[in-house]
Amino acid sequence: MKKYLFINGEWIEPKYYTELSSPYDERIIAEIPAATPEEVESAIRSAFQATTTMRKMPSHQRATILENLTHLLEKRKDEAARIIAMEAAKPINTAKIEVERTIQTYKFAAEEAKRIYGETLPMDAAPGGEGRVAYTVHEPLGVVAAITPFNFPMNLVAHKVGPAIATGNTVVLKPAAQTPLSAYFLAELCKEAGLPDGALNVVTGSGSVIGDILVKDERVQKISFTGSHAVGLQIRNKADLKKVTLELGSNAAVIVDEHVNVEKVIPRCVSGAFAFQGQVCISIQRVYVHEKNYEKFVKGFVEATEKLKLGAPLDPETDISALISPKDVERTLDWIEQAKQYGAEVVTGGIREGNILQPTILTDVDPSAKVSCQEAFAPIVIINRVQSVEEAIDAVNDSRYGLQAGIYTENIHTALKASSDLHVGGVIINDIPTFRVDHMPYGGVKESGVGREGIKYAMEEMTEMKLVVINKNE
């Protein structure tokens, strides 16, 4: 199966191709364009030329296009889920959940397209302002470069494309090298939904080629990137005065207080740790359990983990499938070995089965071990005991990252203290840090990034404010 570039509403045969392999069994599933600098330039030019059309398009029309997109995706959601499962090795049931969330995300974008409000200002509050009326409007930036990761190849694309269309911007989308099929599927649906030619362009290939061009081109006014800290830092350093949103990952933690019913929370925590093989920015990587609950929690967590089924992504019984690449399996095994050398115990897992890593639980992990202080992005969770919530909060904050954190507690004062003291972008009380619905503000502090996603909040970052002042005295 060959795929073409999507530029200016047309499928363009590329000069070069590369093979796309399944992460699960490494069979070739498609031939994907490897865009040249000239082809990327064509995509940017197309997006730039379409900015006038999108800027002048009334909000109700943009909303209608997004509504059409949701209806088309709803009709083809089984096909969409299979695409995700094939290219990302995401278990099919998890892929179906992602598609449902993607539909919701575009619905939110359609609704918010009609709610782009400014405000009036009381100019006579200052001497000299008498007789004047002022108001603000929010206008589109122009061309948005969306650079997306493999782990949510439809929904994280929706979090960039949806707000961009809703605000009247145009997009050049560069999906992850492993998950381009979802992006081409989206392009097909957007064209059918009535999106003007050039408003969405999809280019695939080397990030070092495409990314640099997108980041440096003066016609691109906004970069929205989800991925590694190293790449995000390069983007920010090269982006000049462009607006930038960076979602750069985490080593998310959850705290379990002493009076919590651990039997009730363990299934939720296991899901948060191992869904999609732990390849989620807010996947539970660290668990800090009060010493009074520790032994019971670990025992129950291990029992629940060992019931998870490993297998092919298209098998509806599969809970855990392959990591995105063999190199990631090798890397995580090295990290596990390092943790053991630092004194950690592997209580279950830590074994490779093809490109699958068995769900792995480590205890007594040194905070300097990579499985604790770096982003694992794998089915690995550490469980350490603490003597108090204060100790746990200090451990959570002892991190380069700060995306989201969770705390289970029966004490409202403890919950409010945690919400104040945890240095993260989002505190989830009595739930896991992996919780996300698609209209909430989402983003982190420290090395977890800058800016916020969540449709309304992403839209704010894809517009610029203009002030209008009318002198009624003349």
Side-chain angles (χ1 to χ4, degrees):
M1 175 174 60
K2 280 190 174 183
K3 290 292 181 180
Y4 291 173
L5 298 166
F6 187 74
I7 299 174
N8 199 31
E10 298 181 348
W11 297 102
I12 307 297
E13 186 170 5
K15 187 174 182 179
Y16 301 111
Y17 281 95
T18 185
E19 292 181 336
L20 179 68
S21 301
S22 161
Y24 175 67
D25 57 16
E26 300 186 43
R27 66 183 177 86
I28 305 301
I29 55 178
E31 290 184 81
I32 301 300
T36 64
E38 294 76 20
E39 289 164 340
V40 179
E41 152 67 25
S42 177
I44 296 172
R45 183 171 63 251
S46 170
F48 184 72
Q49 290 172 346
T51 55
T52 300
T53 300
M54 288 299 293
R55 179 181 290 269
K56 292 182 177 179
M57 182 182 290
S59 60
H60 71 82
Q61 190 174 340
R62 299 196 299 269
T64 297
I65 290 169
L66 289 162
E67 288 164 0
N68 292 343
L69 178 58
T70 66
H71 298 320
L72 292 168
L73 188 53
E74 179 73 37
K75 290 178 183 178
R76 298 177 65 180
K77 61 184 180 182
D78 289 341
E79 180 184 354
R82 285 184 63 85
I83 290 172
I84 295 171
M86 284 192 303
E87 66 181 354
K90 179 170 285 192
I92 188 66
N93 290 330
T94 308
K96 288 179 178 179
I97 294 171
E98 178 179 347
V99 175
E100 293 293 346
R101 282 186 58 189
T102 303
I103 293 169
Q104 285 294 321
T105 301
Y106 285 120
K107 283 183 179 178
F108 282 128
E111 293 163 359
E112 291 295 338
K114 303 175 185 177
R115 295 197 285 257
I116 304 175
Y117 301 130
E119 62 180 356
T120 58
L121 286 79
M123 298 301 287
D124 61 355
E130 298 90 341
R132 287 170 170 81
V133 175
Y135 62 92
T136 61
V137 293
H138 293 270
E139 298 183 338
L141 296 172
V143 179
V144 174
I147 305 173
T148 58
F150 73 84
N151 58 331
F152 286 86
M154 286 197 184
N155 197 39
L156 290 185
V157 166
H159 273 281
K160 302 179 190 306
V161 172
I165 295 172
T167 47
N169 290 286
T170 64
V171 182
V172 179
L173 170 61
K174 193 277 177 197
Q178 183 57 46
T179 53
L181 302 180
S182 297
Y184 287 123
F185 181 76
L186 169 66
E188 178 186 341
L189 297 186
C190 283
K191 185 172 179 64
E192 188 176 350
L195 190 66
D197 292 345
L200 173 65
N201 306 271
V202 181
V203 290
T204 53
S206 168
S208 61
V209 173
I210 299 173
D212 275 0
I213 296 172
L214 291 175
V215 170
K216 294 178 180 179
D217 194 291
E218 293 181 356
R219 292 166 295 183
V220 176
Q221 294 299 308
K222 162 79 179 182
I223 309 291
S224 183
F225 170 80
T226 301
S228 73
H229 172 263
V231 176
L233 188 60
Q234 291 176 18
I235 288 172
R236 191 169 192 183
N237 289 338
K238 295 175 181 177
D240 198 25
L241 294 179
K242 293 178 173 65
K243 280 194 170 186
V244 176
T245 298
L246 304 174
E247 199 280 278
L248 306 179
S250 191
N251 57 346
V254 65
I255 299 168
V256 182
D257 199 4
E258 64 178 305
H259 297 301
V260 170
N261 181 346
V262 296
E263 293 177 349
K264 183 177 179 181
V265 306
I266 282 171
R268 181 74 170 151
C269 289
V270 169
S271 173
F274 299 128
F276 189 34
Q277 296 83 265
Q279 297 172 128
V280 181
C281 295
I282 42 177
S283 174
I284 296 176
Q285 188 172 325
R286 299 179 291 157
V287 184
Y288 298 103
V289 184
H290 194 282
E291 59 185 357
K292 291 184 179 179
N293 269 331
Y294 183 76
E295 299 296 340
K296 186 176 182 181
F297 184 90
V298 172
K299 182 176 183 292
F301 204 99
V302 170
E303 290 174 352
T305 298
E306 291 179 345
K307 293 177 182 177
L308 298 174
K309 181 179 177 182
L310 283 57
L314 289 173
D315 182 347
E317 299 298 316
T318 293
D319 298 305
I320 305 290
S321 193
L323 286 178
I324 200 65
S325 76
K327 287 184 179 179
D328 283 287
V329 182
E330 294 161 7
R331 171 185 59 81
T332 51
L333 288 171
D334 288 343
W335 286 19
I336 292 167
E337 188 60 35
Q338 185 214 44
K340 289 165 61 178
Q341 293 173 2
Y342 283 25
E345 178 186 357
V346 178
V347 292
T348 191
I351 298 172
R352 178 179 192 164
E353 297 185 18
N355 289 334
I356 298 175
L357 177 69
Q358 288 183 1
T360 304
I361 301 170
L362 298 99
T363 57
D364 300 318
V365 178
D366 189 291
S368 65
K370 290 181 179 179
V371 293
S372 177
C373 66
Q374 297 188 31
E375 184 177 36
F377 232 57
I380 301 175
V381 64
I382 70 168
I383 307 176
N384 282 0
R385 77 175 74 223
V386 292
Q387 295 180 335
S388 67
V389 169
E390 289 77 15
E391 180 186 348
I393 291 172
D394 288 343
V396 174
N397 288 340
D398 183 20
S399 173
R400 299 157 45 192
Y401 302 108
L403 189 46
Q404 291 193 164
I407 179 169
Y408 283 100
T409 181
E410 297 297 309
N411 188 316
I412 184 62
H413 302 291
T414 301
L416 292 175
K417 177 176 175 56
S419 70
S420 175
D421 292 352
L422 286 166
H423 190 200
V424 292
V427 177
I428 314 299
I429 296 171
N430 284 335
D431 206 348
I432 55 178
T434 325
F435 173 79
R436 183 184 182 184
V437 288
D438 294 289
H439 62 300
M440 76 187 209
Y442 177 78
V445 298
K446 298 188 280 188
E447 291 187 18
S448 283
V450 294
R452 290 295 182 269
E453 290 193 336
I455 300 302
K456 172 186 173 183
Y457 307 94
M459 288 171 61
E460 290 173 358
E461 300 202 19
M462 291 184 181
T463 59
E464 52 193 358
M465 182 188 294
K466 177 184 285 183
L467 171 68
V468 178
V469 180
I470 302 171
N471 184 357
K472 298 191 297 181
N473 299 313
E474 294 295 331

